[in-house]
Amino acid sequence: MKRPLLPLALTLLATSAMAKDRATFRHTPSADEERPVVVDATVGPQGGDFALRLRFQKPPFGQECGSRCANATLLLDTDANPRSGLKLSDKAPENGADLAIIVQGTRDMSGASSDHYVRVKVRQLADGARTLEQGELIAELDHLRDPDRVHIEDNTVFLLIDASNNVPSGRKARVVYHPPGGKAVQATLPGMLSGSANSKVMIFRRGGWGTARQGGRRVGGESK
């Protein structure tokens, strides 16, 4: 996570093909859900990073959500191996997770004015870890200080998560999202060794940031 960041900004590919974009997974929250939750996500490898596009059903941060802003955790099993990484109860879908990505809408009350922002924490989970807190905190980012890693447009959060820090690799990977009060949602996606990381099928490319509503090209299949 400490390697130098690319000097160029990273953006979405904006083409007519994006209208056919398919999410890696989708989730429909209950109508009375107060907190912003992820309703669809596209996840895939790009270079030495995992790129994520997370769309929330309402703004994930700011005055609108007040004290009930986003607090979403996505788990990446970067080698699709349930026997390594996080170990919860038997057959828990979260088993095998190697990275925990926590996306929080928050604000800084330390100055004269409070800045609203999205904070992202990344924890690496060693074999046998029983809780997320046992994972090593390897990155703490926010969209104000790290615009080349975290970008916000409307209700959508774009992330580039460095996976080069001795993170397990495989031809396939898994993503698991456990929304509040619901069952875990999981999907399979190409891993770092699949060849997709260096293909032309990317969520992001070099240039300037694009438009969130246009989406990005498909990375992996849609969950069933």
Side-chain angles (χ1 to χ4, degrees):
M1 284 293 174
K2 298 182 180 179
R3 65 181 176 84
L5 296 178
L6 293 174
L8 296 176
L10 299 162
T11 188
L12 295 173
L13 291 171
T15 70
S16 59
M18 294 176 187
K20 300 179 181 179
D21 177 48
R22 296 174 62 194
T24 303
F25 71 79
R26 291 189 173 92
H27 165 66
T28 302
S30 62
D32 59 351
E33 177 58 59
E34 295 181 1
R35 190 181 291 275
V37 296
V38 177
V39 293
D40 72 61
T42 303
V43 186
Q46 181 176 325
D49 303 311
F50 275 101
L52 298 89
R53 189 185 73 235
L54 310 176
R55 185 169 65 87
F56 291 78
Q57 92 281 25
K58 60 180 70 176
F61 75 111
Q63 295 181 352
E64 182 175 332
C65 57
S67 61
R68 299 283 292 172
C69 293
N71 189 8
T73 298
L74 286 92
L75 299 174
L76 286 182
D77 180 358
T78 55
D79 57 355
N81 181 2
R83 293 180 295 277
S84 63
L86 185 66
K87 182 62 176 177
L88 301 180
S89 59
D90 290 344
K91 298 183 179 180
E94 295 87 351
N95 284 344
D98 303 294
L99 291 177
I101 303 169
I102 302 102
V103 181
Q104 299 172 318
T106 188
R107 58 179 176 171
D108 182 5
M109 300 295 294
S110 61
S113 61
S114 59
D115 288 330
H116 296 265
Y117 61 98
V118 167
R119 175 174 59 196
V120 180
K121 294 181 179 181
V122 184
R123 291 186 177 274
Q124 185 166 348
L125 304 166
D127 291 354
R130 293 287 180 175
T131 67
L132 300 188
E133 288 70 25
Q134 290 181 354
E136 178 188 1
L137 182 64
I138 57 176
E140 186 164 358
L141 312 166
D142 68 62
H143 84 278
L144 299 178
R145 297 182 305 169
D146 307 287
D148 49 355
R149 290 277 162 182
V150 184
H151 180 69
I152 313 295
E153 288 189 7
D154 299 328
N155 295 357
T156 305
V157 178
F158 302 93
L159 304 175
L160 284 175
I161 302 300
D162 188 344
S164 64
N165 188 33
N166 297 319
V167 177
S169 298
R171 294 184 62 83
K172 292 184 178 180
R174 287 189 312 126
V175 59
V176 181
Y177 173 55
H178 208 145
K183 295 181 179 180
V185 180
Q186 59 180 318
T188 301
L189 55 127
M192 284 294 175
L193 302 183
S194 67
S196 296
N198 298 312
S199 73
K200 295 182 180 179
V201 181
M202 299 186 295
I203 299 176
F204 302 95
R205 68 175 174 85
R206 294 179 180 181
W209 285 105
T211 302
R213 286 185 295 270
Q214 291 178 324
R217 289 193 177 184
R218 180 170 61 89
V219 180
E222 185 177 0
S223 61
K224 304 296 184 183

